[in-house]
Amino acid sequence: MERSPGLLFNKWITTIASIWIQCGGGSSYTFGIYSSVLKSTQGYDQSTLDVVSVFKDIGANVGVLSGVLYSNNRYGPWVVHLAGAIQCFAGYFLMWTSVVGLIKPPPLPLMCVFMLLAAHAQTFFNTANVVTGVRNFTDYGGTIVGIMKGFLGLSGAILIQVYATLCEGNPSTFILILAFLPTILSLSLMCLVRIHETNTVDDKKYLNGLSTFSLIIAGYLMIIIILDNVFTLPLLVRTVTFVLLLLLLSLPLVIAVKAQKDYAMRFQQEFSIETTPLLNKTGHPTATFGDERVPLNEDEMNLWQAVCTGNFWLLFVSMLCGMGSGLATINNMSQIGESLHYTTTEINSLISLWSIWNFLGRFGAGYVSDVFLHKKGCARPLFIAITLATMTVGHIVIASGFSKNLYIGSVVVGICYGSQWSLMPTITSEIFGVRNMGTIFNTIAIASPIGSYIFSVRVIGYIYDKVATGEHDSCFGTHCFMVSFLIMASVAFFGCLVALALFFRTRRFYERIVQRRLRRM
């Protein structure tokens, strides 16, 4: 009989450890806090600072190396976390030494390397947590990816609360915090992030519990962000709210302990069903479904095999359209608000709340697509098409320029943008297999910075400069961004059509293969 996992080393504790690491892993989302001090201390102009920002985006989105390391090391996810922790500390610590004057301002290429290292760590944390989550909850990949990606999206808001509580007004100290906090979290918890390929009947029940807590945390952060932007909370209140946030983040541990205790009790009472892997003629493990045996790794592909398929490029192009236009929207939210005469408080609120809408999209798309997959057998790429069609509407709303349009448009685009980040990795694991999932989905994620560059620089920036006539090349009015967002609306709609093509190509696959996996005992 298989030995029951202990209370410390099991997939539920692994999930909580991964969530906590994700909460500190999104440091690249906080660039706006310390960019000004980086600019002033290093003597950069705006265009030079933008170059550093580009390397931040490249580091945070190009995670192929993390996927390769995850797929090809024999020791477990902790190796990936260790590599991420080293990069995080090295990048931010060296940046901090330059900002505070411990070392001479480095040449721009070297500073770009510092930024690249710091942001690149995010892909290692994310890959280790997401892929391990999918392997631990194979029947509910969408839900677990939504939770992991959701907390990564929330991490920007969480880290901003750390800044507001501990060192507001001192961004150089915040850089030092970014060097230590994610590193310490990863190093202290990485031994708990392990692969436990077991499925129980209560997985969905307890994942729903974690989902509920994640929504509560997101709601709490949203309230704090709104109150702080409207009233400017005093330090004492911020400290209290931060302590409450830490307490909320610790509560999911209760679910993990209860889930494992229930599993151990059933195990001891021999209520759980034991399954023994069978070997087929090729020596590969198989799962049995009624009278039919299906090799579990029959659809496993490496990166090259995946790249040679039409499904890979359909997924890549749809992400280019969705992630690229969504990221370009948030990157230009401040300028859009200024052109439409929004107040500074309104603009700050819109930018701060983006992380909440991003979270809702990441979590919601994963959860809802899982529900429809289980109950209706609905192929997951359909939800990419739906969210990109909805994003089209969001871009049109922003382009229209009517009163308070950004309140609607930013919510719609933010949720739909976040949705891509949970749908894409889950679909990757289902179509191409889990073994090389980290490498493949991180390769597809390169579409995000590529799309962002195209839409931010070649579309929005180019058209804005053409129509700007005010002082300092500024522009005010709906015409400043209307054409750009109509173009991005067209691109998002094209992405919707591409996703529909992927849906029709994979519909039979989901019916025959994925449903068999979901019925695996």
Side-chain angles (χ1 to χ4, degrees), residues 170-494:
N170 191 358
S172 59
T173 301
F174 184 62
I175 298 175
L176 186 62
I177 290 175
L178 292 180
F180 280 98
L181 181 58
T183 302
I184 292 173
L185 278 173
S186 182
L187 292 178
S188 60
L189 297 172
M190 66 184 185
C191 63
L192 300 177
V193 181
R194 301 183 176 189
I195 298 171
H196 306 273
E197 293 178 324
T198 59
N199 293 306
T200 68
V201 294
D202 287 335
D203 280 358
K204 183 62 173 175
K205 169 185 172 182
Y206 291 113
L207 283 175
N208 285 344
L210 290 177
S211 299
T212 301
F213 271 112
S214 67
L215 289 172
I216 292 172
I217 292 169
Y220 178 77
L221 281 169
M222 181 175 68
I223 293 172
I224 296 303
I225 289 170
I226 293 174
L227 290 177
D228 194 31
N229 280 313
V230 174
F231 299 108
T232 309
L233 300 177
L235 180 59
L236 178 61
V237 176
R238 284 180 175 171
T239 303
V240 172
T241 57
F242 182 67
V243 171
L244 289 176
L245 175 61
L246 294 180
L247 290 175
L248 284 175
L249 289 172
S250 67
L251 287 179
L253 187 60
V254 176
I255 294 179
V257 173
K258 187 177 187 306
Q260 185 54 29
K261 283 184 176 179
D262 287 352
Y263 173 71
M265 184 179 299
R266 286 196 310 273
F267 191 93
Q268 292 170 0
Q269 295 173 347
E270 298 185 352
F271 287 159
S272 59
I273 300 175
E274 294 185 49
T275 58
T276 303
L278 303 175
L279 293 179
N280 59 19
K281 294 180 180 180
T282 63
H284 296 306
T286 65
T288 302
F289 309 98
D291 296 328
E292 187 176 11
R293 292 179 182 177
V294 181
L296 294 182
N297 59 350
E298 66 174 359
D299 55 344
E300 297 284 351
M301 296 185 189
N302 58 35
L303 177 60
W304 176 249
Q305 290 170 330
V307 168
C308 292
T309 66
N311 290 339
F312 176 92
W313 291 107
L314 289 174
L315 190 55
F316 184 91
V317 171
S318 60
M319 291 302 101
L320 184 74
C321 298
M323 292 179 176
S325 63
L327 189 56
T329 300
I330 184 57
N331 285 345
N332 291 276
M333 187 63 69
S334 179
Q335 290 85 350
I336 299 169
E338 290 175 359
S339 71
L340 296 176
H341 303 288
Y342 282 71
T343 66
T344 301
T345 300
E346 288 177 315
I347 293 172
N348 289 339
S349 297
L350 289 169
I351 295 174
S352 299
L353 289 172
W354 177 271
S355 62
I356 305 299
W357 316 138
N358 189 8
F359 161 80
L360 290 176
R362 293 177 184 223
F363 165 75
Y367 184 88
V368 172
S369 64
D370 256 359
V371 171
F372 276 84
L373 183 62
H374 280 260
K375 293 186 176 180
K376 305 291 185 181
C378 184
R380 215 181 295 267
L382 178 62
F383 289 90
I384 293 182
I386 293 172
T387 53
L388 289 182
T390 308
M391 182 181 281
T392 301
V393 177
H395 286 318
I396 292 174
V397 168
I398 295 175
S400 65
F402 63 81
S403 178
K404 307 301 180 183
N405 67 319
L406 287 185
Y407 286 99
I408 301 173
S410 65
V411 173
V412 174
V413 175
I415 291 175
C416 294
Y417 167 75
S419 299
Q420 314 311 312
W421 283 107
S422 62
L423 291 171
M424 182 270 287
T426 311
I427 292 171
T428 299
S429 70
E430 291 165 345
I431 295 178
F432 305 116
V434 179
R435 180 177 300 166
N436 296 290
M437 171 192 172
T439 307
I440 298 171
F441 94 73
N442 276 303
T443 302
I444 297 173
I446 296 174
S448 179
I450 293 176
S452 175
Y453 172 79
I454 293 172
F455 299 125
S456 293
V457 178
R458 298 301 179 184
V459 177
I460 294 177
Y462 176 79
I463 295 176
Y464 183 91
D465 290 340
K466 286 291 184 181
V467 300
T469 57
E471 186 179 359
H472 305 300
D473 293 325
S474 58
C475 179
F476 297 95
T478 58
H479 67 285
C480 302
F481 292 94
M482 178 181 289
V483 175
S484 299
F485 274 86
L486 288 177
I487 291 173
M488 290 201 296
S490 302
V491 170
F493 184 72
F494 174 74

